[in-house]
Amino acid sequence: MRSNRRSGLGGTGLIVAGLAATLVALIFPVWSYTDRSGTGVDVLNAQTVSTRFGPLSALDRDFLTKVRQAGLWELPAGQQAQLRGTTEAVRIAGRHLIEGHTFLDERVRDVASRLGFVLPDQPSDQQREWLSTMDAAQGEDFDREFANLLRMAHGKVFSVVAQVRASTRNSLVRALADDANTTVLDHIQVLEATGYVDFDALANGMAAASTPPLTNSPAPPGPTSAPVSAVPVTPSPVTTYPLPPPATSPPPEAGEVVELTGPSEEP
């Protein structure tokens, strides 16, 4: 009898212990997630510094860096297109790049100065490689390299600008994102209007590897009282320009006069 009672008690104890373990397993993930450090909000707060224009996050700072570096390689790319482009559409796209990034470079240097943020004075290694690729190309090959490299780069930054515009709490960064959004979209359109953009390659590239995440900024040192001024980009003087032909038009031949008209209506 005693052994039977012990067996019954033992079985009950195992059942109670199992129920307790199940309850702990259900509760622990909720507790560990809500109380753990390193969540998105924690990271945001840890990498954000205060300014009189609003909080400046790591994403904001990375955006300022990317706007600056875009001008450091896209402006000389635009100058190459003006000098070496074999069609008027390519040369027009080059003028858009020069004018747009001259404007954005002035804007980002002003914003960085007011926020006490130090900007780079050199393009990234990858951007220098893109410039070297265009340097080595000739004739129509140059036109294609120019249109596709620049269109690919603008497509990647387009989503970054939208993310910053949607999330920033800094008024200066917000206004700069508005300007960058308008400029990037204009550049996408004029690059596509050259007729050289390989949309299949763009789509396959996006499918094979999603847009690379932004490089994590180092721990914020905080704004400086007197940051080192970034050297302004110095493009050649440019005049105003018309829009290029619609993207559905084939690339014009060298020396061909381009009639700039609006998109034709479908029958």
Side-chain angles (χ1 to χ4, degrees), residues 6-7 22 43 53 64 68 77 107 117 142 170 182 184 260:
R6 286 173 183 170
S7 299
T22 301
V43 172
F53 302 100
L64 297 178
R68 170 64 175 173
R107 288 281 288 110
F117 182 69
F142 169 83
N170 189 281
T182 301
V184 171
L260 304 177

Side-chain angles (χ1 to χ4, degrees), residues 130-180:
W130 290 337
L131 286 172
S132 296
T133 298
M134 286 188 289
D135 285 338
Q138 299 293 329
E140 188 174 316
D141 288 340
F142 169 83
D143 295 339
R144 294 188 184 281
E145 291 288 1
F146 166 77
N148 284 283
L149 284 173
L150 271 297
R151 173 59 180 83
M152 176 268 297
H154 280 81
K156 288 182 177 181
V157 78
F158 197 45
S159 60
V160 175
V161 176
Q163 183 182 2
V164 171
R165 181 60 181 84
S167 65
T168 186
R169 293 173 286 172
N170 189 281
S171 61
L172 294 183
V173 173
R174 190 177 304 118
L176 178 63
D178 285 339
D179 292 333

Side-chain angles (χ1 to χ4, degrees), residues 35-206:
D35 291 344
R36 67 177 181 163
S37 61
T39 61
V41 174
D42 292 328
V43 172
L44 173 65
N45 292 334
Q47 296 186 349
T48 297
V49 294
S50 297
T51 78
R52 63 191 182 93
F53 302 100
L56 187 69
S57 69
L59 179 62
D60 295 336
R61 297 193 299 276
D62 199 51
F63 169 65
L64 297 178
T65 298
K66 288 183 180 299
V67 171
R68 170 64 175 173
Q69 287 185 315
L72 291 172
W73 88 276
E74 291 180 27
L75 192 146
Q79 291 176 315
Q80 283 198 48
Q82 280 200 296
L83 294 173
R84 303 172 57 201
T86 65
T87 71
E88 183 63 17
V90 170
R91 292 189 288 271
I92 288 173
R95 292 202 297 272
H96 275 246
L97 290 178
I98 292 171
E99 184 165 310
H101 284 290
T102 300
F103 166 70
L104 281 184
D105 188 72
E106 182 178 352
R107 288 281 288 110
V108 74
R109 286 187 294 108
D110 175 67
V111 169
S113 176
R114 297 168 73 182
L115 292 173
F117 182 69
V118 180
L119 293 171
D121 273 328
Q122 294 293 329
S124 68
D125 291 340
Q126 185 180 53
Q127 290 166 344
R128 284 194 288 267
E129 289 178 6
W130 290 337
L131 286 172
S132 296
T133 298
M134 286 188 289
D135 285 338
Q138 299 293 329
E140 188 174 316
D141 288 340
F142 169 83
D143 295 339
R144 294 188 184 281
E145 291 288 1
F146 166 77
N148 284 283
L149 284 173
L150 271 297
R151 173 59 180 83
M152 176 268 297
H154 280 81
K156 288 182 177 181
V157 78
F158 197 45
S159 60
V160 175
V161 176
Q163 183 182 2
V164 171
R165 181 60 181 84
S167 65
T168 186
R169 293 173 286 172
N170 189 281
S171 61
L172 294 183
V173 173
R174 190 177 304 118
L176 178 63
D178 285 339
D179 292 333
N181 182 70
T182 301
T183 303
V184 171
L185 180 57
D186 171 74
H187 291 177
I188 286 175
Q189 292 172 330
V190 295
L191 288 164
E192 292 174 352
T194 64
Y196 287 115
V197 173
D198 187 340
F199 292 99
D200 288 336
L202 286 174
N204 290 332
M206 292 292 291

